[in-house]
Amino acid sequence: MKQTINIVIAEDHPIFRKGLKDIINGEHNMKVIDECGDGSKVLSMIKKQKPDVLILDLNLPERHGLEVLNEIQMFKDKLKTIILTMHNDEETFNKAIDLGVAGYVLKESAGHDILESIRAVVNDQMYISPTISSYLLKRRQRNHLLHELHPSIENLTEMERKILKLISENKSSKEIATLLFISDRTVQNHRMNICNKLNLHGSFSLLKFAIENKNKL
């Protein structure tokens, strides 16, 4: 962890913002270097100050927090964003996570959670207020189910990937067998295994998938 964590706060309630600032500045290795009260100033502030962490309220005047998140995608590799909000609904949570936030803290527990969330995100960990942690679990379960329903190239063996690449080049089974020094029957078995793993039906579907995903092979 770097010696001092520089933080910018975008929150429209001055008293609440001051409370957060006092809590954060009370830590020896954290410093609030700038603050604002509306969404129109956030982007220019980030460009100027280059903070490590942005604490962003969703309900900002001038520009909503989700709009701001869209705008700061160019900084997402260097900037860790923690959402600070009264919204505890799952839809808003998922929208924020889709936009790459590292933390999601409810205002009702901000006094307790904010320091812990900052420590987590600067160490490349995600932080979610415990009262809504079930949303993250449900999200992961949903993503796992989608992965099972829609298998990807990652499910294939190295040989299957080689064969799929040659299929994308419109090579016949005989040509593939010659190039890989295996029998035609072995190629056919691999083609069948690839189709089963990718839930594809028929040689045309396999060729179409291979061509569409050629750059991933």
Side-chain angles (χ1 to χ4, degrees):
M1 186 185 298
K2 64 182 290 184
Q3 190 171 3
T4 300
I5 304 167
N6 292 320
I7 299 158
V8 163
I9 301 176
E11 158 64 47
D12 66 328
H13 291 93
I15 295 175
F16 191 83
R17 190 167 70 236
K18 183 181 184 304
L20 282 178
K21 186 176 177 180
D22 290 343
I23 291 172
I24 293 168
N25 286 340
E27 293 293 296
H28 73 280
N29 66 333
M30 298 182 189
K31 182 180 180 183
V32 176
I33 56 173
D34 212 341
E35 59 188 279
C36 67
D38 70 75
S40 64
K41 299 176 182 177
V42 179
L43 190 62
S44 59
M45 189 178 296
I46 291 170
K47 286 180 178 178
K48 178 182 177 183
Q49 301 291 0
K50 296 180 174 57
D52 303 300
V53 177
L54 167 66
I55 298 175
L56 177 67
D57 184 13
L58 284 183
N59 285 338
L60 290 171
E62 304 299 330
R63 191 161 295 163
H64 191 272
L66 292 177
E67 292 180 59
V68 174
L69 282 174
N70 265 319
E71 292 182 350
I72 63 174
Q73 290 299 299
M74 68 185 80
F75 303 103
K76 66 181 181 180
D77 292 333
K78 299 177 181 178
L79 177 69
K80 305 295 185 181
T81 302
I82 298 171
I83 290 299
L84 184 66
T85 181
M86 294 183 294
H87 293 288
N88 62 358
D89 63 285
E90 193 169 359
E91 183 181 357
T92 302
F93 170 82
N94 281 320
K95 285 179 180 177
I97 298 298
D98 287 341
L99 288 169
V101 303
Y104 198 94
V105 174
L106 297 181
K107 284 189 175 182
E108 63 189 40
S109 56
H112 177 268
D113 292 350
I114 198 64
L115 296 180
E116 193 173 346
S117 67
I118 293 169
R119 294 188 191 101
V121 301
V122 296
N123 282 301
D124 297 320
Q125 299 170 356
M126 180 171 280
Y127 185 91
I128 309 297
S129 282
T131 53
I132 56 170
S133 59
S134 62
Y135 292 168
L136 186 60
L137 178 61
K138 287 164 69 176
R139 181 183 175 88
R140 286 172 176 167
Q141 289 173 335
R142 190 160 52 246
N143 288 342
H144 179 69
L145 180 60
L146 285 172
H147 181 72
E148 288 186 337
L149 292 173
H150 303 283
S152 69
I153 293 170
E154 295 172 3
N155 297 87
L156 303 180
T157 65
E158 184 178 351
M159 178 59 79
E160 288 166 350
R161 289 171 71 105
K162 286 180 180 178
I163 290 173
L164 190 61
K165 186 175 189 304
L166 291 170
I167 291 172
S168 74
E169 296 169 2
N170 212 20
K171 302 288 186 187
S172 68
S173 291
K174 187 173 182 179
E175 289 173 322
I176 293 171
T178 301
L179 289 167
L180 298 179
F181 305 102
I182 56 179
S183 68
D184 288 3
R185 181 180 290 276
T186 300
V187 174
Q188 290 299 333
N189 287 338
H190 280 304
R191 289 176 68 108
M192 184 171 62
N193 288 336
I194 294 168
C195 286
N196 288 336
K197 288 183 178 181
L198 299 176
N199 196 25
L200 300 172
H201 304 283
S203 58
F204 178 75
S205 294
L206 179 58
L207 176 61
K208 183 173 181 289
F209 180 91
I211 293 172
E212 289 175 350
N213 293 275
K214 187 175 182 178
N215 62 335
K216 299 177 184 177
L217 298 169

